[in-house]
Amino acid sequence: MSKAPAAVRLVMIVDYIANRDKASFTEICTDLSIPKSSVHHLLEVLTVSQLLRQRADGRYVLGLRLFELGGLAIKNIDLRKDAIGFMHTLVKETELTCHLGILEGDNGFFLSKVESPKAIVKTSWKGKKIVFNRMSLGKALLA
């Protein structure tokens, strides 16, 4: 992989550390087959930009800048808006009510619901807490 562009190598290094939680300079060079001089330069760029952080033991871990960027990325995702078309399609094809939910820590929450005109009305609403062992959406989220 020594012929890969620098940007590709940067992503490879970040992905590698993300999958391992931490990595040494030698592990990165060896496992990714990137020359030491390139790894040295790329790690410098990644640490200066705070995408990685070097611990006291010399190992590299993900930096807080990635957390910040992740927060900005998630701000632009409206799961309910993105899913509503699929939910309407499911209701039309199955003639059943469709729920959208998420896990938040140890809890599940309803985000959206599209009622089927033929289904029995369920008492669910946006923001309602999901009881995992009593609701199919709860079981699906756990699976």
Side-chain angles (χ1 to χ4, degrees), residues 38-76:
S38 296
V39 170
H40 177 75
H41 174 70
L42 295 171
L43 287 173
E44 188 175 318
V45 168
L46 289 165
T47 54
V48 166
S49 63
Q50 298 178 340
L51 296 173
L52 295 181
R53 179 175 58 84
Q54 189 174 18
R55 297 184 335 180
D57 65 2
R59 293 178 148 319
Y60 292 88
V61 295
L62 297 179
L64 289 178
R65 178 79 174 125
L66 289 171
F67 181 73
E68 180 184 8
L69 293 172
L72 292 171
I74 226 165
K75 191 169 69 170
N76 294 314

Side-chain angles (χ1 to χ4, degrees), residues 81-141:
K81 182 179 172 189
D82 294 343
I84 197 73
F86 296 108
M87 293 172 69
H88 280 287
T89 301
L90 277 172
V91 169
K92 186 176 180 180
E93 290 179 8
T94 65
E95 298 182 345
L96 298 170
T97 297
C98 182
H99 289 95
L100 175 66
I102 59 164
L103 281 174
E104 178 69 34
D106 292 336
N107 298 305
F109 296 94
F110 286 99
L111 290 182
S112 191
K113 172 173 83 169
V114 176
E115 290 279 357
S116 169
K118 296 184 180 183
I120 298 170
V121 176
K122 302 283 184 185
T123 55
S124 59
W125 58 87
K126 295 176 193 171
K128 180 179 179 183
K129 192 173 181 177
I130 295 170
V131 180
F132 292 118
N133 64 343
R134 287 193 241 153
M135 300 174 174
S136 58
L137 179 58
K139 293 172 187 173
L141 288 171

